[in-house]
Amino acid sequence: MLSLLYKVSGMINPPKVSKKMKQFQVFQILILILITTSSTEDLDYAKEGCNDTCGDVRIPYPFGIGANCSVNKWYVVECNSSTPYLSAFNNIEVLGVGLEKQTVTVNVSVTSSCPTSNLIPSINLGESPFVFSRLHNTLTVEGCGHAVILDEGKVITGCSTTCTNDTTSERDHCFGLSCCQNTIPYNLKSYSVDLTGLKRLGEDGACGYAFLGNMEWLDGVFEDNKQLRTSFRKAKTRNTSFIPITLVWFLTNIDFHEIPNCWERQGRAPVLDLGNGRYIPSRKCSCGIGRVGNPYLHYQCQGIMSPKFPS
C-alpha cells in the first residue's frame, strides 16, 4: 500500500502537467485504487445460500456446511460451537481444507491400547473419497524401541530409537534418541501401528507412542496457509493427545456431474497411488495461471489483481 501511495503522489504532482492531464491522472488513480483494493474476499467459496466459514476455518465447496451444501455425503461438514467436523467419520475435527492440493487436515486422537494390545488400528477410510496423504504425513515414534506401520498385514515403514538413562523425548528434535520419524511410501486407505518392543522412559512394561501425523505440524514449520497456520497453532497448544493428519480428497466422474464448467489442466489425469499396483483416478478443477478463487463453483475464479464486477 505504501508503494501505491508513492505512485499516487507522483501522478498527482508531476512537473509541468496540464489541467486535462491531471484530470486524466486522477481517473487513473481511482481505477488503480479500485483494482488494488479488490481481493478474493469478494469471492464465494460455498454454494449459494451456504456458509463458507465455521469459526476460523474456511469450508470451500465441494465440502459444505450442512447436508445440502456439499457435493456428496462424504464432504458434509457440521459446524458446532464454531468448530467444523466431518460428520461421515464420527465427527472428527476439520482444521483446514486445501483446494489446490486437494487436502483436508483433521485432528485425530493419539491412543495407545497397551498393555492389552500392541496393535493400534487407524481410521478406516473405506469407500470414502479420502486417503492418508503420503506427501504431508510422517510416522513418528516416541519411546525406546521400534514401531512399524502395516498395510493389510504387510510392513510398509517403521523406525527404531535408542535410549540412555538420561535421554528425554523431544518431538521437536526427533533424530533417533527416544524419538524417530519416517515417511510412508504411498497413500493409504487404512493402516495399523505395531508397537511391539516400544516402551516409555522410566515406565517398565508401558508402551510408547507411534502415530501418523502432519509433518509440518510435528516439525513446527506450518504450511503457507494463514487459516491452517492458525488452526495448527491452536491445536498445538490445546491438547497434545490430538495430532493433525492430512487426507487427500478426490472426485469421481459422478461427482463432476454436480460441478458445472469445471476447467481441467491439459495433460495426463492425476492418479493416487494406493500401493500394490492400485491407483485411483482423481478429477481436479483449476482456476488457471494467475487466477485465484474456487474453481469448483461457477464464475468464482478471478485474476489476482482484477476487480470483481457484478454479472
Side-chain angles (χ1 to χ4, degrees), residues 11 40 52 75 81 84 105 132 148 152 160 163 180 188 240 258 306:
M11 292 173 72
T40 57
D52 65 359
Y75 294 88
S81 301
T105 301
F132 294 98
V148 296
E152 297 180 350
S160 300
C163 294
C180 63
L188 294 166
T240 56
E258 304 294 326
S306 299

Side-chain angles (χ1 to χ4, degrees), residues 56-129:
D56 296 326
V57 182
R58 174 177 285 161
I59 307 296
Y61 189 79
F63 291 82
I65 300 173
N68 297 319
C69 294
S70 64
V71 71
N72 61 42
K73 65 178 183 179
W74 298 106
Y75 294 88
V76 175
V77 173
E78 298 296 335
C79 186
N80 297 324
S81 301
S82 298
T83 301
Y85 298 91
L86 269 181
S87 59
F89 294 99
N90 199 24
N91 290 326
I92 55 176
E93 181 185 355
V94 176
L95 297 178
V97 178
L99 293 176
E100 177 61 29
K101 297 180 181 179
Q102 291 181 272
T103 59
V104 54
T105 301
V106 297
N107 221 16
V108 297
S109 60
V110 177
T111 58
S112 175
S113 52
C114 298
T116 58
S117 172
N118 290 323
L119 201 64
I120 302 175
S122 73
I123 300 170
N124 190 337
L125 300 178
E127 299 300 317
S128 76

Side-chain angles (χ1 to χ4, degrees), residues 37 60 66 70 97 99 101 130 138 160 162 167 173 197-198 204 208 213 275 286:
T37 55
S70 64
V97 178
L99 293 176
K101 297 180 181 179
F130 303 105
T138 186
S160 300
T162 47
T167 301
H173 301 86
L198 185 66
D204 293 338
S286 177

Side-chain angles (χ1 to χ4, degrees), residues 292-304:
V292 293
N294 188 344
Y296 297 90
L297 291 174
H298 194 35
Y299 289 128
Q300 293 307 313
C301 289
Q302 69 178 32
I304 294 175

Side-chain angles (χ1 to χ4, degrees), residues 16-240:
K16 299 180 180 180
V17 174
S18 67
K19 183 178 179 180
K20 287 186 177 181
M21 180 61 72
K22 285 186 177 181
Q23 290 174 339
F24 177 70
Q25 287 172 340
V26 169
F27 177 75
Q28 285 183 310
I29 291 167
L30 292 174
I31 295 297
L32 179 61
I33 292 174
L34 174 64
I35 292 174
T36 305
T37 55
S38 297
S39 71
T40 57
E41 293 178 359
D42 297 326
L43 292 170
D44 294 323
Y45 281 83
K47 286 176 66 175
E48 186 175 356
C50 301
N51 293 327
D52 65 359
T53 55
C54 177
D56 296 326
V57 182
R58 174 177 285 161
I59 307 296
Y61 189 79
F63 291 82
I65 300 173
N68 297 319
C69 294
S70 64
V71 71
N72 61 42
K73 65 178 183 179
W74 298 106
Y75 294 88
V76 175
V77 173
E78 298 296 335
C79 186
N80 297 324
S81 301
S82 298
T83 301
Y85 298 91
L86 269 181
S87 59
F89 294 99
N90 199 24
N91 290 326
I92 55 176
E93 181 185 355
V94 176
L95 297 178
V97 178
L99 293 176
E100 177 61 29
K101 297 180 181 179
Q102 291 181 272
T103 59
V104 54
T105 301
V106 297
N107 221 16
V108 297
S109 60
V110 177
T111 58
S112 175
S113 52
C114 298
T116 58
S117 172
N118 290 323
L119 201 64
I120 302 175
S122 73
I123 300 170
N124 190 337
L125 300 178
E127 299 300 317
S128 76
F130 303 105
V131 294
F132 294 98
S133 172
R134 174 181 65 87
L135 295 177
H136 293 84
N137 300 308
T138 186
L139 166 68
T140 297
V141 177
E142 296 180 356
C144 304
H146 65 274
V148 296
I149 282 185
L150 299 95
D151 178 22
E152 297 180 350
K154 177 184 176 182
V155 174
I156 62 169
T157 192
C159 66
S160 300
T161 67
T162 47
C163 294
T164 60
N165 291 335
D166 58 351
T167 301
T168 58
S169 179
E170 295 185 37
R171 188 178 298 170
D172 292 336
H173 301 86
C174 201
F175 300 125
L177 292 176
S178 78
C179 182
C180 63
Q181 292 180 327
N182 205 352
T183 57
I184 55 177
Y186 48 78
N187 301 295
L188 294 166
K189 271 290 188 178
S190 65
Y191 62 89
S192 56
V193 180
D194 190 346
L195 303 179
T196 304
L198 185 66
K199 297 180 179 180
R200 286 200 299 266
L201 285 170
E203 298 183 31
D204 293 338
C207 287
Y209 291 89
F211 48 82
L212 201 61
N214 182 282
M215 64 181 66
E216 285 89 0
W217 185 88
L218 291 166
D219 295 338
V221 182
F222 305 121
E223 289 190 357
D224 187 20
N225 180 309
K226 182 178 180 181
Q227 291 187 341
L228 193 53
R229 277 201 311 269
T230 301
S231 296
F232 272 2
R233 290 194 173 105
K234 286 182 178 179
K236 194 96 172 177
T237 57
R238 187 172 56 204
N239 194 335
T240 56

